[in-house]
Amino acid sequence: MHSEKASVGLRLAAWGGLLFLHFPILIIFLYAFNTEDAAFSFPPKGFTLNWFAVAFARPDVLEAIKLSLQVACLATLIALVLGTLASAALYRRSFFGKESISLMLILPIALPGIITGIALLSAFKRLGIEPGVFTIVIGHATFCVVIVYNNVIARLRRTSQSLIEASMDLGADGWQTFRFIILPNLGSALLAGGMLAFALSFDEIIVTTFTAGHERTLPIWLLNQLSRPRDVPVTNVVAMLVMLVTMLPILGAYYLTRGGESVAGSGK
């Protein structure tokens, strides 16, 4: 009896915590459709899609969206290549300094963003590189690599080595083994890692602030909008867009990786 009451209490506490965390997001979604020009008139006076038309007719919004998509795609591509190569190298070989390299790979995601941003800015200045799209992409790639690396190396550890050995014993060369054995097992992990890296890059602001120079990604555009209360309805629409673009890949990555224990050769 007591255990049942405790279970119900824990569930209520969990749902209460989720509601507390997501209530501000629901408010932004609600006000994105408000007919009133006022920033926070409550209750909303009606329903309209007018603010979406206003937002997507503004050149500054479209430029910020375009830049954020460009940076996120490039950073994700770099992260997929480097993260996969790093995970393959560290998974298959034991060598001096392996643990140090693993720590260096994970460090950018563990450090506060402001530390990473300052370090990157100092390095770019030392190398004489002017802040711009290139520096934003490099800055985002430093922590996106970690996401791909963690996903891929976790999948490699669940893939039976006997599959690779059997493929080689049957006459397959290295490329054939990679294409027909390793890559199919890594497929969902790569897709999930890429989706998470894209979402993380798309809404990143702290590192971007130090590496953007005069460029304005969508999160920086939103930050600048805080000083413009008359644009609050448009800001709500853009904020909702950012949340959707980042939330959907995260949910997709969750569903792709939740069955990762059943990959071929894992003992199932």
Side-chain angles (χ1 to χ4, degrees):
M1 188 67 177
H2 291 291
S3 61
E4 291 180 0
K5 289 182 178 179
S7 178
V8 172
L10 287 173
R11 290 179 183 177
L12 290 175
W15 281 108
L18 288 173
L19 180 62
F20 175 78
L21 290 173
H22 291 88
F23 183 74
I25 297 176
L26 296 176
I27 292 296
I28 290 176
F29 274 54
L30 180 65
Y31 279 108
F33 298 95
N34 189 13
T35 57
E36 284 290 312
D37 288 348
F40 297 108
S41 59
F42 190 85
K45 304 303 181 182
F47 178 88
T48 183
L49 296 175
N50 176 61
W51 300 119
F52 289 84
V54 173
F56 290 108
R58 290 182 49 165
D60 57 335
V61 174
L62 295 178
E63 286 297 321
I65 293 173
K66 179 182 177 181
L67 179 60
S68 288
L69 289 174
Q70 179 184 358
V71 169
C73 289
L74 290 173
T76 300
L77 181 61
I78 294 172
L80 283 171
V81 175
L82 297 183
T84 303
L85 292 176
S87 60
L90 294 176
Y91 166 70
R92 295 192 61 185
R93 296 286 184 266
S94 294
F95 52 88
F96 177 76
K98 177 180 177 179
E99 298 301 324
S100 299
I101 294 175
S102 298
L103 178 62
M104 290 175 63
L105 280 169
I106 299 172
L107 202 57
I109 203 72
L111 287 173
I114 190 170
I115 302 298
T116 304
I118 292 173
L120 286 168
L121 180 60
S122 299
F124 291 141
K125 285 187 174 181
R126 176 75 64 173
L127 295 172
I129 301 174
E130 290 296 322
V133 177
F134 174 76
T135 56
I136 301 174
V137 171
I138 297 300
H140 286 199
T142 56
F143 54 80
C144 287
V145 168
V146 185
I147 306 299
V148 177
Y149 168 78
N150 284 336
N151 275 273
V152 174
I153 201 166
R155 182 59 57 85
L156 285 172
R157 287 168 179 165
R158 290 197 297 265
T159 302
S160 176
Q161 186 67 24
S162 61
L163 287 175
I164 300 174
E165 294 173 355
S167 174
M168 303 296 282
D169 289 341
L170 291 172
D173 57 27
W175 168 246
Q176 290 174 322
T177 301
F178 174 78
R179 180 182 175 186
F180 296 110
I181 303 298
I182 299 176
L183 192 58
N185 279 304
L186 295 181
S188 60
L190 286 170
L191 184 57
M195 293 168 71
L196 286 171
F198 179 89
L200 190 62
S201 173
F202 188 82
D203 72 347
E204 211 294 319
I205 187 169
I206 300 177
V207 173
T208 311
T209 303
F210 289 93
T211 58
H214 297 293
E215 301 289 343
R216 288 203 304 176
T217 61
L218 204 54
I220 291 181
W221 181 90
L222 285 170
L223 182 64
N224 293 336
Q225 287 297 108
L226 294 178
S227 60
R228 301 175 182 176
R230 291 187 178 182
D231 282 348
V232 165
V234 175
T235 305
N236 287 334
V237 170
V238 177
M240 187 178 75
L241 172 68
V242 172
M243 285 184 284
L244 288 175
V245 170
T246 54
M247 179 177 62
L248 294 178
I250 291 172
L251 290 175
Y254 166 74
Y255 283 107
L256 283 170
T257 55
R258 65 175 182 172
E261 69 278 0
S262 61
V263 295
S266 62
K268 295 281 183 177

